[in-house]
């Protein structure tokens, strides 16, 4: 962590502040060549996801995070917001800090490969002031340096979703879903797929397991995650989960549900299909299903 006094000292050296255009609130692309060496450009990000690409970094950029939930009306605000940052493999020329309540924490640095090889997530409460501060590192030659990353911004990412994605903790990430969570996952997940596990590949470096799925039925998918490949008549796809969950190859039909994170499918709940069917039919009998799904 950097002390607040250092942050205030840096602010004292700024010469100019430029406001970003309101037309593009999801993606930002700019060049340091248009900035004075000690200036800061103010940019507001107000979308669920987007990209930031800074060519020839000089000076600094302050990226304000404004979740759409905080702008929508009426209705209560979520109890917290969560953002995730995924750096480009070629991230160079700057350091990225998280600014929370005036205190800076280093997230990305081109001199730290471990930082650039993983996703960084953080949370804050609605009353807290949060921004990303992208500061150019002094370079003699900036011609081949690009600082780029993708971001995702959400409200009320619960522990079951946030923990496996942030990799900050495994508590609760691997525990089976209870009946209530299963029924809610059917309604709220980005994908709901019935299928079998055809392979499991463990990545020790990323601390992830990639589960190869052969889908017998795709009930819902917001993105094209599962589709026929090659000569297969079944839809195939991959789902990720923390390596610590210890997923193993085994027989049986499952209902896989989860979320999309930076283009990858991440596992939320995966009950055996016969168990899901029992829970769903019991809830239907009691008229307690939050939504409907066609059973085989």
């Amino acid at each position: 962590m950097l002390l607040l006094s250092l942050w205030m000292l840096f602010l004292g050296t700024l010469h100019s502040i430029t406001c970003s255009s309101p037309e593009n609130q999801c993606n930002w692309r700019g060049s340091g060549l248009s900035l004075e060496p000690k200036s800061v450009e103010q940019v507001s990000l107000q979308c669920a996801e987007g990209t930031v690409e800074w060519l020839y970094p000089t000076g600094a950029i302050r990226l304000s995070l404004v979740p759409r939930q905080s702008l929508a009306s009426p209705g209560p605000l979520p109890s917290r917001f969560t953002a995730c940052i995924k750096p480009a493999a070629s991230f160079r020329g700057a350091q990225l800090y998280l600014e929370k309540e005036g205190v800076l924490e280093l997230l990305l640095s081109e001199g730290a490969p471990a930082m650039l090889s993983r996703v960084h997530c953080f949370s804050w409460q609605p009353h807290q002031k949060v921004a990303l501060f992208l500061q150019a590192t002094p370079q003699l030659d900036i011609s081949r340096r690009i600082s780029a990353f993708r971001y995702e911004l959400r409200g009320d990412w619960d522990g079951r979703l946030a923990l496996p994605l942030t990799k900050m903790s495994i508590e609760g990430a691997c525990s089976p879903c209870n009946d209530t969570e299963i029924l809610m996952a059917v309604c709220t997940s980005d994908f709901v797929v019935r299928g079998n596990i055809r392979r499991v590949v463990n990545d020790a470096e990323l601390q992830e397991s990639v589960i190869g799925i052969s889908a017998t039925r795709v009930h819902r998918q917001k993105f094209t995650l599962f589709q026929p490949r090659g000569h297969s008549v079944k839809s195939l796809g991959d789902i990720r989960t923390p390596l610590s969950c210890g997923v193993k190859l085994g027989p049986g039909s499952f209902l896989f549900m989860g979320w999309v994170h930076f283009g990858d499918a991440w596992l939320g709940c995966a009950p055996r299909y016969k168990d899901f069917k029992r829970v769903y039919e019991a809830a239907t009998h009691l008229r307690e299903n939050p939504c409907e799904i066609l059973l085989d």
Side-chain angles (χ1 to χ4, degrees):
M1 301 287 285
L2 298 181
L3 297 177
L4 177 60
S5 58
L6 295 178
W7 169 230
M8 296 305 295
L9 179 63
F10 179 81
L11 286 180
T13 66
L14 301 184
H15 290 179
S16 65
I17 295 178
T18 305
C19 294
S20 62
S21 170
E23 286 79 11
N24 188 356
Q25 299 175 338
C26 297
N27 306 312
W28 183 87
R29 187 175 191 268
S31 170
L33 299 179
S34 62
L35 294 176
E36 296 181 10
K38 295 184 179 181
S39 66
V40 172
E41 180 164 0
Q42 296 279 0
V43 177
S44 180
L45 303 176
Q46 301 181 6
C47 291
E49 59 185 71
T51 60
V52 172
E53 188 177 21
W54 193 19
L55 287 70
Y56 321 125
T58 58
I61 301 171
R62 187 175 185 273
L63 305 157
S64 299
L65 303 179
V66 186
R68 285 197 179 277
Q69 292 93 330
S70 65
L71 301 175
S73 61
L77 288 175
S79 59
R80 66 170 180 167
F81 298 108
T82 299
C84 290
I85 304 298
K86 184 175 184 179
S90 58
F91 185 97
R92 298 180 66 194
Q95 297 187 121
L96 180 66
Y97 296 88
L98 167 64
E99 177 196 334
K100 182 185 291 187
E101 299 295 321
V103 179
L104 296 183
E105 177 184 354
L106 182 63
L107 294 180
L108 300 176
S109 175
E110 63 175 315
M115 289 184 172
L116 301 179
S117 63
R118 62 188 180 91
V119 172
H120 301 261
C121 297
F122 49 90
S123 298
W124 69 98
Q125 296 177 339
H127 69 273
Q128 294 179 303
K129 301 296 183 180
V130 172
L132 294 173
F133 190 75
L134 198 57
Q135 181 183 2
T137 53
Q139 304 286 344
L140 294 177
D141 180 13
I142 63 173
S143 62
R144 295 185 179 182
R145 285 172 169 79
I146 300 176
S147 301
F149 60 87
R150 296 165 64 186
Y151 73 88
E152 291 185 348
L153 189 58
R154 300 285 189 272
D156 275 349
W157 259 348
D158 62 28
R160 180 170 297 278
L161 171 60
L163 288 176
L165 298 187
T166 63
K167 307 185 185 74
M168 293 186 293
S169 169
I170 61 171
E171 183 180 354
C174 305
S175 59
C177 296
N178 60 36
D179 291 354
T180 301
E181 290 170 336
I182 289 174
L183 293 175
M184 287 304 301
V186 170
C187 306
T188 61
S189 295
D190 289 339
F191 61 89
V192 180
V193 175
R194 180 184 177 185
N196 310 92
I197 300 176
R198 58 187 178 88
R199 60 178 173 82
V200 176
V201 178
N202 295 319
D203 190 322
E205 181 178 355
L206 296 178
Q207 288 295 294
E208 299 173 359
S209 293
V210 181
I211 311 168
I213 304 299
S214 175
T216 56
R217 182 165 186 175
V218 178
H219 293 275
R220 182 175 73 253
Q221 57 177 339
K222 289 184 179 180
F223 308 93
T224 307
L225 303 169
F226 302 90
Q227 57 184 328
R229 299 178 186 174
H231 301 290
S232 175
V233 296
K234 294 183 178 180
S235 294
L236 306 179
D238 294 329
I239 302 176
R240 298 174 183 271
T241 194
L243 180 63
S244 55
C245 292
V247 176
K248 297 184 182 300
L249 181 65
S253 178
F254 298 84
L255 190 68
F256 299 97
M257 297 172 281
W259 300 266
V260 176
H261 183 57
F262 290 118
D264 294 323
W266 280 83
L267 186 64
C269 298
R272 289 188 177 274
Y273 186 75
K274 60 181 180 62
D275 295 330
F276 161 74
K277 189 174 181 180
R278 172 184 53 79
V279 171
Y280 182 85
E281 290 177 340
T284 300
H285 179 72
L286 297 174
R287 297 183 179 180
E288 295 179 350
N289 266 332
C291 65
E292 295 183 357
I293 185 173
L294 292 177
L295 300 178
D296 293 343

